[in-house]
Amino acid sequence: DGDRLRYDAPGEALTDELLEDLRRHKPEILALVRAPAVDPAAARPLAPAQEGFWLLDQLHPGHAGSNEQFVVFVDGPLDEERLRAAWRAVVERHAVLRARFGVADGEPWQRCDGPVPEPAAVDLATDAGGLAALAAREVAAPFDHARGGLLRP
């Protein structure tokens, strides 16, 4: 709001020390909130951990050894549409989960504009072996880092 810095917090949270810090750092805070949003389609350098995964993929293309997997069992009714909506919200909020990788001028980059995968549901009441088969296929399947999406449902 112009050059005003507005804040809202419970009274006990706004100590004299915190208010003084807000006053002292007001220009930096205003610059941060005014900064343009980062374009998810823009190429960005990889974080160190991402470089490690990227290098491993370059040395052993298609290797699925770093894949991690977990299964969530739900006992009782499941609102699949709410689950899907929650999943989409998390993936949309955390752009790095949609990251894809490429190389330009010999340097790896990431763009956080990959697809948002839909979660899979297996009804164990009618397909007890389906979960084990699905899990085995998914953990063995490599990720396509150029296409994007660092997680699969």
PDB file of all heavy atoms in Angstrom, residues 41-71:
ATOM      1  N   ALA A  41       8.260 -20.928 -16.116  1.00  0.00           N
ATOM      2  CA  ALA A  41       8.784 -21.433 -17.386  1.00  0.00           C
ATOM      3  C   ALA A  41      10.205 -20.942 -17.649  1.00  0.00           C
ATOM      4  O   ALA A  41      10.852 -21.408 -18.582  1.00  0.00           O
ATOM      5  CB  ALA A  41       7.869 -21.019 -18.533  1.00  0.00           C
ATOM      6  N   ALA A  42      10.692 -20.012 -16.832  1.00  0.00           N
ATOM      7  CA  ALA A  42      12.040 -19.495 -17.021  1.00  0.00           C
ATOM      8  C   ALA A  42      13.065 -20.523 -16.541  1.00  0.00           C
ATOM      9  O   ALA A  42      12.877 -21.174 -15.519  1.00  0.00           O
ATOM     10  CB  ALA A  42      12.209 -18.186 -16.246  1.00  0.00           C
ATOM     11  N   ALA A  43      14.143 -20.648 -17.299  1.00  0.00           N
ATOM     12  CA  ALA A  43      15.211 -21.581 -16.914  1.00  0.00           C
ATOM     13  C   ALA A  43      15.949 -21.034 -15.702  1.00  0.00           C
ATOM     14  O   ALA A  43      16.299 -19.855 -15.646  1.00  0.00           O
ATOM     15  CB  ALA A  43      16.159 -21.784 -18.081  1.00  0.00           C
ATOM     16  N   ARG A  44      16.155 -21.905 -14.729  1.00  0.00           N
ATOM     17  CA  ARG A  44      16.867 -21.550 -13.492  1.00  0.00           C
ATOM     18  C   ARG A  44      17.963 -22.583 -13.252  1.00  0.00           C
ATOM     19  O   ARG A  44      17.821 -23.734 -13.647  1.00  0.00           O
ATOM     20  CB  ARG A  44      15.908 -21.574 -12.296  1.00  0.00           C
ATOM     21  CG  ARG A  44      14.723 -20.662 -12.433  1.00  0.00           C
ATOM     22  CD  ARG A  44      15.080 -19.302 -11.889  1.00  0.00           C
ATOM     23  NE  ARG A  44      13.919 -18.428 -11.996  1.00  0.00           N
ATOM     24  CZ  ARG A  44      13.940 -17.275 -12.635  1.00  0.00           C
ATOM     25  NH1 ARG A  44      15.022 -16.856 -13.197  1.00  0.00           N
ATOM     26  NH2 ARG A  44      12.872 -16.539 -12.717  1.00  0.00           N
ATOM     27  N   PRO A  45      19.032 -22.193 -12.555  1.00  0.00           N
ATOM     28  CA  PRO A  45      20.069 -23.178 -12.231  1.00  0.00           C
ATOM     29  C   PRO A  45      19.524 -24.247 -11.282  1.00  0.00           C
ATOM     30  O   PRO A  45      18.574 -24.012 -10.537  1.00  0.00           O
ATOM     31  CB  PRO A  45      21.158 -22.355 -11.540  1.00  0.00           C
ATOM     32  CG  PRO A  45      20.722 -20.942 -11.555  1.00  0.00           C
ATOM     33  CD  PRO A  45      19.329 -20.859 -12.072  1.00  0.00           C
ATOM     34  N   LEU A  46      20.154 -25.412 -11.300  1.00  0.00           N
ATOM     35  CA  LEU A  46      19.746 -26.484 -10.396  1.00  0.00           C
ATOM     36  C   LEU A  46      20.296 -26.233  -9.000  1.00  0.00           C
ATOM     37  O   LEU A  46      21.381 -25.672  -8.837  1.00  0.00           O
ATOM     38  CB  LEU A  46      20.287 -27.833 -10.885  1.00  0.00           C
ATOM     39  CG  LEU A  46      19.873 -28.300 -12.271  1.00  0.00           C
ATOM     40  CD1 LEU A  46      20.425 -29.706 -12.523  1.00  0.00           C
ATOM     41  CD2 LEU A  46      18.377 -28.280 -12.435  1.00  0.00           C
ATOM     42  N   ALA A  47      19.558 -26.672  -8.004  1.00  0.00           N
ATOM     43  CA  ALA A  47      20.059 -26.679  -6.636  1.00  0.00           C
ATOM     44  C   ALA A  47      21.101 -27.801  -6.536  1.00  0.00           C
ATOM     45  O   ALA A  47      21.093 -28.730  -7.357  1.00  0.00           O
ATOM     46  CB  ALA A  47      18.907 -26.926  -5.660  1.00  0.00           C
ATOM     47  N   PRO A  48      22.000 -27.761  -5.564  1.00  0.00           N
ATOM     48  CA  PRO A  48      23.027 -28.805  -5.459  1.00  0.00           C
ATOM     49  C   PRO A  48      22.468 -30.232  -5.431  1.00  0.00           C
ATOM     50  O   PRO A  48      23.002 -31.116  -6.108  1.00  0.00           O
ATOM     51  CB  PRO A  48      23.759 -28.457  -4.161  1.00  0.00           C
ATOM     52  CG  PRO A  48      23.600 -26.966  -4.042  1.00  0.00           C
ATOM     53  CD  PRO A  48      22.222 -26.683  -4.578  1.00  0.00           C
ATOM     54  N   ALA A  49      21.408 -30.466  -4.700  1.00  0.00           N
ATOM     55  CA  ALA A  49      20.840 -31.816  -4.656  1.00  0.00           C
ATOM     56  C   ALA A  49      20.277 -32.214  -6.017  1.00  0.00           C
ATOM     57  O   ALA A  49      20.408 -33.370  -6.446  1.00  0.00           O
ATOM     58  CB  ALA A  49      19.759 -31.906  -3.579  1.00  0.00           C
ATOM     59  N   GLN A  50      19.676 -31.256  -6.717  1.00  0.00           N
ATOM     60  CA  GLN A  50      19.149 -31.539  -8.053  1.00  0.00           C
ATOM     61  C   GLN A  50      20.286 -31.857  -9.019  1.00  0.00           C
ATOM     62  O   GLN A  50      20.155 -32.737  -9.875  1.00  0.00           O
ATOM     63  CB  GLN A  50      18.351 -30.343  -8.578  1.00  0.00           C
ATOM     64  CG  GLN A  50      17.042 -30.128  -7.879  1.00  0.00           C
ATOM     65  CD  GLN A  50      16.399 -28.828  -8.315  1.00  0.00           C
ATOM     66  OE1 GLN A  50      17.057 -27.787  -8.408  1.00  0.00           O
ATOM     67  NE2 GLN A  50      15.104 -28.884  -8.606  1.00  0.00           N
ATOM     68  N   GLU A  51      21.398 -31.161  -8.869  1.00  0.00           N
ATOM     69  CA  GLU A  51      22.550 -31.451  -9.730  1.00  0.00           C
ATOM     70  C   GLU A  51      23.008 -32.890  -9.552  1.00  0.00           C
ATOM     71  O   GLU A  51      23.380 -33.553 -10.521  1.00  0.00           O
ATOM     72  CB  GLU A  51      23.706 -30.493  -9.431  1.00  0.00           C
ATOM     73  CG  GLU A  51      23.585 -29.180 -10.132  1.00  0.00           C
ATOM     74  CD  GLU A  51      24.872 -28.375 -10.072  1.00  0.00           C
ATOM     75  OE1 GLU A  51      25.956 -28.932 -10.347  1.00  0.00           O
ATOM     76  OE2 GLU A  51      24.784 -27.184  -9.756  1.00  0.00           O
ATOM     77  N   GLY A  52      22.967 -33.368  -8.302  1.00  0.00           N
ATOM     78  CA  GLY A  52      23.357 -34.750  -8.040  1.00  0.00           C
ATOM     79  C   GLY A  52      22.454 -35.739  -8.756  1.00  0.00           C
ATOM     80  O   GLY A  52      22.929 -36.687  -9.388  1.00  0.00           O
ATOM     81  N   PHE A  53      21.142 -35.528  -8.691  1.00  0.00           N
ATOM     82  CA  PHE A  53      20.201 -36.407  -9.392  1.00  0.00           C
ATOM     83  C   PHE A  53      20.387 -36.306 -10.903  1.00  0.00           C
ATOM     84  O   PHE A  53      20.344 -37.297 -11.615  1.00  0.00           O
ATOM     85  CB  PHE A  53      18.754 -36.067  -9.028  1.00  0.00           C
ATOM     86  CG  PHE A  53      18.350 -36.587  -7.682  1.00  0.00           C
ATOM     87  CD1 PHE A  53      18.078 -35.720  -6.638  1.00  0.00           C
ATOM     88  CD2 PHE A  53      18.233 -37.948  -7.455  1.00  0.00           C
ATOM     89  CE1 PHE A  53      17.709 -36.191  -5.400  1.00  0.00           C
ATOM     90  CE2 PHE A  53      17.862 -38.439  -6.227  1.00  0.00           C
ATOM     91  CZ  PHE A  53      17.598 -37.565  -5.196  1.00  0.00           C
ATOM     92  N   TRP A  54      20.596 -35.089 -11.381  1.00  0.00           N
ATOM     93  CA  TRP A  54      20.787 -34.879 -12.813  1.00  0.00           C
ATOM     94  C   TRP A  54      22.051 -35.601 -13.282  1.00  0.00           C
ATOM     95  O   TRP A  54      22.038 -36.284 -14.312  1.00  0.00           O
ATOM     96  CB  TRP A  54      20.860 -33.386 -13.121  1.00  0.00           C
ATOM     97  CG  TRP A  54      21.152 -33.095 -14.558  1.00  0.00           C
ATOM     98  CD1 TRP A  54      20.250 -33.066 -15.585  1.00  0.00           C
ATOM     99  CD2 TRP A  54      22.427 -32.812 -15.135  1.00  0.00           C
ATOM    100  NE1 TRP A  54      20.896 -32.778 -16.766  1.00  0.00           N
ATOM    101  CE2 TRP A  54      22.228 -32.624 -16.510  1.00  0.00           C
ATOM    102  CE3 TRP A  54      23.708 -32.701 -14.608  1.00  0.00           C
ATOM    103  CZ2 TRP A  54      23.275 -32.324 -17.380  1.00  0.00           C
ATOM    104  CZ3 TRP A  54      24.748 -32.401 -15.475  1.00  0.00           C
ATOM    105  CH2 TRP A  54      24.522 -32.215 -16.836  1.00  0.00           C
ATOM    106  N   LEU A  55      23.143 -35.458 -12.534  1.00  0.00           N
ATOM    107  CA  LEU A  55      24.398 -36.114 -12.907  1.00  0.00           C
ATOM    108  C   LEU A  55      24.243 -37.631 -12.899  1.00  0.00           C
ATOM    109  O   LEU A  55      24.710 -38.316 -13.809  1.00  0.00           O
ATOM    110  CB  LEU A  55      25.518 -35.675 -11.964  1.00  0.00           C
ATOM    111  CG  LEU A  55      26.900 -36.238 -12.274  1.00  0.00           C
ATOM    112  CD1 LEU A  55      27.344 -35.857 -13.681  1.00  0.00           C
ATOM    113  CD2 LEU A  55      27.907 -35.753 -11.241  1.00  0.00           C
ATOM    114  N   LEU A  56      23.577 -38.160 -11.884  1.00  0.00           N
ATOM    115  CA  LEU A  56      23.329 -39.602 -11.826  1.00  0.00           C
ATOM    116  C   LEU A  56      22.557 -40.062 -13.063  1.00  0.00           C
ATOM    117  O   LEU A  56      22.872 -41.095 -13.652  1.00  0.00           O
ATOM    118  CB  LEU A  56      22.558 -39.958 -10.554  1.00  0.00           C
ATOM    119  CG  LEU A  56      22.246 -41.423 -10.339  1.00  0.00           C
ATOM    120  CD1 LEU A  56      23.523 -42.236 -10.175  1.00  0.00           C
ATOM    121  CD2 LEU A  56      21.364 -41.595  -9.103  1.00  0.00           C
ATOM    122  N   ASP A  57      21.578 -39.272 -13.481  1.00  0.00           N
ATOM    123  CA  ASP A  57      20.795 -39.611 -14.661  1.00  0.00           C
ATOM    124  C   ASP A  57      21.646 -39.533 -15.931  1.00  0.00           C
ATOM    125  O   ASP A  57      21.434 -40.296 -16.878  1.00  0.00           O
ATOM    126  CB  ASP A  57      19.579 -38.685 -14.777  1.00  0.00           C
ATOM    127  CG  ASP A  57      18.596 -39.160 -15.833  1.00  0.00           C
ATOM    128  OD1 ASP A  57      18.126 -40.307 -15.733  1.00  0.00           O
ATOM    129  OD2 ASP A  57      18.311 -38.387 -16.758  1.00  0.00           O
ATOM    130  N   GLN A  58      22.606 -38.619 -15.952  1.00  0.00           N
ATOM    131  CA  GLN A  58      23.493 -38.534 -17.114  1.00  0.00           C
ATOM    132  C   GLN A  58      24.431 -39.737 -17.183  1.00  0.00           C
ATOM    133  O   GLN A  58      24.714 -40.252 -18.258  1.00  0.00           O
ATOM    134  CB  GLN A  58      24.329 -37.236 -17.076  1.00  0.00           C
ATOM    135  CG  GLN A  58      23.520 -35.968 -17.062  1.00  0.00           C
ATOM    136  CD  GLN A  58      22.526 -35.894 -18.192  1.00  0.00           C
ATOM    137  OE1 GLN A  58      22.912 -35.884 -19.358  1.00  0.00           O
ATOM    138  NE2 GLN A  58      21.245 -35.861 -17.863  1.00  0.00           N
ATOM    139  N   LEU A  59      24.907 -40.177 -16.022  1.00  0.00           N
ATOM    140  CA  LEU A  59      25.831 -41.316 -15.971  1.00  0.00           C
ATOM    141  C   LEU A  59      25.122 -42.647 -16.191  1.00  0.00           C
ATOM    142  O   LEU A  59      25.696 -43.573 -16.760  1.00  0.00           O
ATOM    143  CB  LEU A  59      26.566 -41.332 -14.623  1.00  0.00           C
ATOM    144  CG  LEU A  59      27.488 -40.138 -14.360  1.00  0.00           C
ATOM    145  CD1 LEU A  59      28.003 -40.173 -12.926  1.00  0.00           C
ATOM    146  CD2 LEU A  59      28.638 -40.110 -15.354  1.00  0.00           C
ATOM    147  N   HIS A  60      23.900 -42.754 -15.713  1.00  0.00           N
ATOM    148  CA  HIS A  60      23.124 -43.992 -15.808  1.00  0.00           C
ATOM    149  C   HIS A  60      21.705 -43.652 -16.273  1.00  0.00           C
ATOM    150  O   HIS A  60      20.762 -43.692 -15.476  1.00  0.00           O
ATOM    151  CB  HIS A  60      23.065 -44.706 -14.453  1.00  0.00           C
ATOM    152  CG  HIS A  60      24.406 -44.990 -13.866  1.00  0.00           C
ATOM    153  ND1 HIS A  60      25.210 -45.997 -14.310  1.00  0.00           N
ATOM    154  CD2 HIS A  60      25.086 -44.369 -12.867  1.00  0.00           C
ATOM    155  CE1 HIS A  60      26.336 -46.001 -13.617  1.00  0.00           C
ATOM    156  NE2 HIS A  60      26.289 -45.028 -12.733  1.00  0.00           N
ATOM    157  N   PRO A  61      21.541 -43.330 -17.550  1.00  0.00           N
ATOM    158  CA  PRO A  61      20.205 -42.958 -18.034  1.00  0.00           C
ATOM    159  C   PRO A  61      19.171 -44.051 -17.757  1.00  0.00           C
ATOM    160  O   PRO A  61      19.441 -45.239 -17.926  1.00  0.00           O
ATOM    161  CB  PRO A  61      20.403 -42.787 -19.544  1.00  0.00           C
ATOM    162  CG  PRO A  61      21.868 -42.561 -19.723  1.00  0.00           C
ATOM    163  CD  PRO A  61      22.540 -43.317 -18.614  1.00  0.00           C
ATOM    164  N   GLY A  62      18.010 -43.627 -17.292  1.00  0.00           N
ATOM    165  CA  GLY A  62      16.933 -44.579 -17.032  1.00  0.00           C
ATOM    166  C   GLY A  62      17.055 -45.321 -15.719  1.00  0.00           C
ATOM    167  O   GLY A  62      16.209 -46.147 -15.388  1.00  0.00           O
ATOM    168  N   HIS A  63      18.084 -45.025 -14.929  1.00  0.00           N
ATOM    169  CA  HIS A  63      18.273 -45.708 -13.650  1.00  0.00           C
ATOM    170  C   HIS A  63      17.211 -45.227 -12.653  1.00  0.00           C
ATOM    171  O   HIS A  63      16.964 -44.038 -12.535  1.00  0.00           O
ATOM    172  CB  HIS A  63      19.667 -45.398 -13.112  1.00  0.00           C
ATOM    173  CG  HIS A  63      19.976 -46.032 -11.800  1.00  0.00           C
ATOM    174  ND1 HIS A  63      20.086 -47.389 -11.634  1.00  0.00           N
ATOM    175  CD2 HIS A  63      20.191 -45.495 -10.590  1.00  0.00           C
ATOM    176  CE1 HIS A  63      20.372 -47.654 -10.378  1.00  0.00           C
ATOM    177  NE2 HIS A  63      20.436 -46.514  -9.718  1.00  0.00           N
ATOM    178  N   ALA A  64      16.578 -46.153 -11.961  1.00  0.00           N
ATOM    179  CA  ALA A  64      15.507 -45.801 -11.016  1.00  0.00           C
ATOM    180  C   ALA A  64      15.947 -46.000  -9.569  1.00  0.00           C
ATOM    181  O   ALA A  64      15.116 -46.026  -8.668  1.00  0.00           O
ATOM    182  CB  ALA A  64      14.265 -46.635 -11.319  1.00  0.00           C
ATOM    183  N   GLY A  65      17.239 -46.121  -9.329  1.00  0.00           N
ATOM    184  CA  GLY A  65      17.751 -46.423  -7.986  1.00  0.00           C
ATOM    185  C   GLY A  65      17.482 -45.358  -6.948  1.00  0.00           C
ATOM    186  O   GLY A  65      17.461 -45.653  -5.753  1.00  0.00           O
ATOM    187  N   SER A  66      17.275 -44.119  -7.352  1.00  0.00           N
ATOM    188  CA  SER A  66      17.024 -43.063  -6.364  1.00  0.00           C
ATOM    189  C   SER A  66      15.540 -42.810  -6.155  1.00  0.00           C
ATOM    190  O   SER A  66      15.171 -41.928  -5.395  1.00  0.00           O
ATOM    191  CB  SER A  66      17.732 -41.776  -6.788  1.00  0.00           C
ATOM    192  OG  SER A  66      17.267 -41.354  -8.049  1.00  0.00           O
ATOM    193  N   ASN A  67      14.686 -43.596  -6.811  1.00  0.00           N
ATOM    194  CA  ASN A  67      13.245 -43.437  -6.612  1.00  0.00           C
ATOM    195  C   ASN A  67      12.870 -43.839  -5.193  1.00  0.00           C
ATOM    196  O   ASN A  67      13.402 -44.799  -4.648  1.00  0.00           O
ATOM    197  CB  ASN A  67      12.453 -44.312  -7.586  1.00  0.00           C
ATOM    198  CG  ASN A  67      12.539 -43.824  -9.016  1.00  0.00           C
ATOM    199  OD1 ASN A  67      13.234 -42.863  -9.312  1.00  0.00           O
ATOM    200  ND2 ASN A  67      11.831 -44.489  -9.898  1.00  0.00           N
ATOM    201  N   GLU A  68      11.968 -43.107  -4.607  1.00  0.00           N
ATOM    202  CA  GLU A  68      11.422 -43.437  -3.296  1.00  0.00           C
ATOM    203  C   GLU A  68       9.930 -43.671  -3.449  1.00  0.00           C
ATOM    204  O   GLU A  68       9.301 -43.109  -4.334  1.00  0.00           O
ATOM    205  CB  GLU A  68      11.675 -42.312  -2.297  1.00  0.00           C
ATOM    206  CG  GLU A  68      13.134 -42.114  -1.984  1.00  0.00           C
ATOM    207  CD  GLU A  68      13.352 -41.087  -0.896  1.00  0.00           C
ATOM    208  OE1 GLU A  68      12.416 -40.839  -0.095  1.00  0.00           O
ATOM    209  OE2 GLU A  68      14.442 -40.526  -0.849  1.00  0.00           O
ATOM    210  N   GLN A  69       9.395 -44.495  -2.573  1.00  0.00           N
ATOM    211  CA  GLN A  69       7.989 -44.852  -2.707  1.00  0.00           C
ATOM    212  C   GLN A  69       7.350 -44.999  -1.333  1.00  0.00           C
ATOM    213  O   GLN A  69       8.011 -45.426  -0.380  1.00  0.00           O
ATOM    214  CB  GLN A  69       7.904 -46.183  -3.451  1.00  0.00           C
ATOM    215  CG  GLN A  69       6.494 -46.649  -3.721  1.00  0.00           C
ATOM    216  CD  GLN A  69       6.521 -47.965  -4.474  1.00  0.00           C
ATOM    217  OE1 GLN A  69       6.927 -48.970  -3.916  1.00  0.00           O
ATOM    218  NE2 GLN A  69       6.098 -47.951  -5.720  1.00  0.00           N
ATOM    219  N   PHE A  70       6.084 -44.624  -1.245  1.00  0.00           N
ATOM    220  CA  PHE A  70       5.294 -44.899  -0.055  1.00  0.00           C
ATOM    221  C   PHE A  70       3.862 -45.125  -0.478  1.00  0.00           C
ATOM    222  O   PHE A  70       3.430 -44.706  -1.543  1.00  0.00           O
ATOM    223  CB  PHE A  70       5.413 -43.776   0.995  1.00  0.00           C
ATOM    224  CG  PHE A  70       4.740 -42.495   0.585  1.00  0.00           C
ATOM    225  CD1 PHE A  70       3.420 -42.242   0.940  1.00  0.00           C
ATOM    226  CD2 PHE A  70       5.433 -41.533  -0.142  1.00  0.00           C
ATOM    227  CE1 PHE A  70       2.798 -41.066   0.572  1.00  0.00           C
ATOM    228  CE2 PHE A  70       4.818 -40.349  -0.514  1.00  0.00           C
ATOM    229  CZ  PHE A  70       3.505 -40.116  -0.159  1.00  0.00           C
ATOM    230  N   VAL A  71       3.157 -45.836   0.367  1.00  0.00           N
ATOM    231  CA  VAL A  71       1.760 -46.173   0.108  1.00  0.00           C
ATOM    232  C   VAL A  71       0.950 -45.670   1.288  1.00  0.00           C
ATOM    233  O   VAL A  71       1.365 -45.793   2.445  1.00  0.00           O
ATOM    234  CB  VAL A  71       1.582 -47.701  -0.053  1.00  0.00           C
ATOM    235  CG1 VAL A  71       0.119 -48.053  -0.249  1.00  0.00           C
ATOM    236  CG2 VAL A  71       2.425 -48.214  -1.215  1.00  0.00           C
TER     237      VAL A  71
END
